[in-house]
Amino acid sequence: MKEKIQLCRPAAAAFLTMMAMALTSSTLSFFLEPVCRELGISRGSFSLIFSLMTIAGALTNPVLGQRAGRKGVRGILLVCGVWGCGSLLLFSAARQLWMVYAAGFLMGLFGTNCVALCANVMVQKAYDPGRAASILGLVMAGSGVGGMIFNILIPGVMAAAGWRSAMVVMAVVWMGLLLLGAILLGREKPAEQHTAAAGIGLGMTRAEALKRAKLYLLILIIVIITAACGVQQQQPSLLASYGFENSRVSLLLSAQTAVLALGKIGQGMLYGRLGVRRGGCMTLLIFAAAFGALLIPELVYPGLVLMAIGLGIYTTLLPLVTRQLFGTREYGAIWGLLATCGSLGTIVANPLWGSVYDLWGSYAPAMIVCAVLLVGAAFVLNKLLKELR
């Protein structure tokens, strides 16, 4: 029994970590309208905060990935909890645009991308390949569960006490979840004590991976997916443009995050049953179809369901593809590099999503481009993984 509990602790800690991630990956988008209105800024200007967060994450991810792989993630979780809380409190006190940007940059240093990296490395280090797919799906569902809860809680606090008070609540919840995750994880074994059963010591080093063309093809896929995921921050505005009221938008996005949570679990099972290649190509095509559906107001509801599946690809499919292509010998270092490259897609896409709406009064041009690129990404992924057979 004690061994079973010990086996579950990394998964439970990673689940709480992913719940915290929902605060900055989805719930933060509810602040777009009130912050823009109070500070008198455009949507494109506010959306730049997400790019600043990813730029900051791109600076720290390679170092944190290498450290997480070698020495563990507990210390990183503690730093992320305290640092992120302070950054969100700074955001709550913002009176000018530069303060919003400063808070976003600081949050990005030890924020969304960093905690996602920690959760991923926890799973890859603790579990063998046979378990990793299903457990990763369960763990990554934490962001969906968190989003489902916080997308109701935070807008409710915002309506009752204003966006500044809601941001303070976010700060407290962020720190609580990450500190609890660090406590639950407990003392970690050094990397050299992990057994070959979990894949440690098998595969390429980062230096070896950098010499392979498949690394750069995978980077291309990651950039496309992260750019497409930028639509998540714009969904409240998209639904508002279709005439949905704020209360209804909140309920719809909470329902979507519930589907996202279930979808990640389903994706883990799908990849375990059909394999990463076939299952991955299928989910990429579903993601592309989601953009097509959301172009039509009458198909908003099925579009949101399909979008929930697509938004889970980055945290469920791509870590498994990385492990399958490069192994786990230096998984943390390689994934940290890939996460940094993926940030490029987010850095470019987030202000573009907001600017497209500001210029054309519609998200349609960006959504069409994303659908086409995702279909192309499915073909590239199929070729990459087919060569391993």
Side-chain angles (χ1 to χ4, degrees):
M1 177 64 70
K2 184 177 180 180
E3 291 182 356
K4 291 183 178 180
I5 293 175
Q6 291 294 331
L7 186 64
C8 292
R9 289 178 69 170
F15 185 88
L16 291 175
T17 300
M18 291 305 298
M19 283 188 68
M21 175 184 163
L23 287 167
T24 53
S25 65
S26 63
T27 306
L28 190 59
S29 62
F30 284 96
F31 290 81
L32 188 150
E33 292 286 351
V35 172
C36 288
R37 184 170 57 251
E38 180 174 326
L39 300 185
I41 60 178
S42 68
R43 299 182 188 210
S45 297
F46 180 89
S47 297
L48 187 58
I49 186 177
F50 299 110
S51 293
L52 290 172
M53 290 171 64
T54 52
I55 290 172
L59 297 175
T60 54
N61 270 337
V63 177
L64 292 179
Q66 193 163 14
R67 191 206 182 280
R70 293 181 178 178
K71 298 183 179 294
V73 303
R74 189 184 186 204
I76 298 175
L77 289 180
L78 292 171
V79 172
C80 287
V82 176
W83 185 282
C85 178
S87 301
L88 291 173
L89 290 176
L90 176 61
F91 196 138
S92 71
R95 300 292 176 180
Q96 298 179 26
L97 181 59
W98 71 266
M99 295 180 68
V100 174
Y101 287 162
F105 184 83
L106 292 173
M107 185 67 196
L109 289 175
F110 297 101
T112 303
N113 292 334
C114 297
V115 296
L117 183 150
C118 288
N120 182 17
V121 172
M122 275 190 266
V123 172
Q124 303 298 342
K125 286 180 62 177
Y127 304 104
D128 60 73
R131 291 178 174 175
S134 57
I135 291 177
L136 188 65
L138 287 168
V139 164
M140 295 303 165
S143 62
V145 173
M148 181 175 59
I149 297 171
F150 304 140
N151 286 354
I152 294 177
L153 172 64
I154 298 303
V157 175
M158 195 182 302
W163 69 267
R164 297 183 186 277
S165 296
M167 188 66 72
V168 172
V169 172
M170 281 181 59
V172 174
V173 173
W174 169 275
M175 183 169 67
L177 287 171
L178 293 186
L179 294 185
L180 181 59
I183 293 170
L184 186 60
L185 183 61
R187 185 181 296 275
E188 298 172 274
K189 295 180 180 180
E192 60 269 14
Q193 294 184 21
H194 287 278
T195 63
I200 302 300
L202 304 177
M204 302 181 191
T205 64
R206 182 170 64 178
E208 292 170 339
L210 286 169
K211 299 176 183 178
R212 304 298 179 92
K214 60 185 178 182
L215 175 70
Y216 301 98
L217 289 174
L218 180 57
I219 287 173
L220 175 63
I221 294 172
I222 289 175
V223 169
I224 291 172
I225 291 172
T226 53
C229 286
V231 73
Q232 185 175 21
Q233 310 297 343
Q234 308 297 328
Q235 283 187 129
S237 296
L238 174 65
L239 294 175
S241 70
Y242 287 159
F244 290 92
E245 296 180 353
N246 287 340
S247 59
R248 194 175 179 188
V249 169
S250 176
L251 289 174
L252 283 174
L253 295 184
S254 295
Q256 185 193 50
T257 52
V259 176
L260 176 61
L262 294 174
K264 288 182 179 180
I265 297 172
Q267 284 184 51
M269 297 172 63
L270 178 70
Y271 303 146
R273 181 173 293 272
L274 295 183
V276 176
R277 182 176 67 88
R278 287 190 294 172
C281 291
M282 184 182 302
T283 50
L284 281 170
L285 293 176
I286 289 174
F287 199 8
F291 284 99
L294 287 178
L295 285 171
I296 306 171
E298 291 77 13
L299 296 180
V300 162
Y301 298 122
L304 290 174
V305 172
L306 295 176
M307 184 61 68
I309 297 173
L311 292 173
I313 289 176
Y314 182 81
T315 53
T316 51
L317 173 64
L318 296 180
L320 296 173
V321 172
T322 302
R323 181 170 182 164
Q324 191 162 329
L325 290 174
F326 306 108
T328 52
R329 184 176 179 182
E330 290 192 5
Y331 181 86
I334 293 174
W335 181 254
L337 174 64
L338 291 173
T340 297
C341 294
S343 297
L344 295 175
T346 307
I347 290 168
V348 173
N350 277 329
L352 286 180
W353 277 105
S355 297
V356 164
Y357 188 89
D358 289 337
L359 290 173
W360 281 283
S362 170
Y363 291 108
M367 294 171 72
I368 292 171
V369 170
C370 283
V372 173
L373 290 176
L374 287 167
V375 173
F379 282 103
V380 175
L381 179 67
N382 180 65
K383 178 176 176 60
L384 264 180
L385 297 180
K386 196 172 183 179
E387 292 177 352
L388 295 178
R389 299 177 63 186

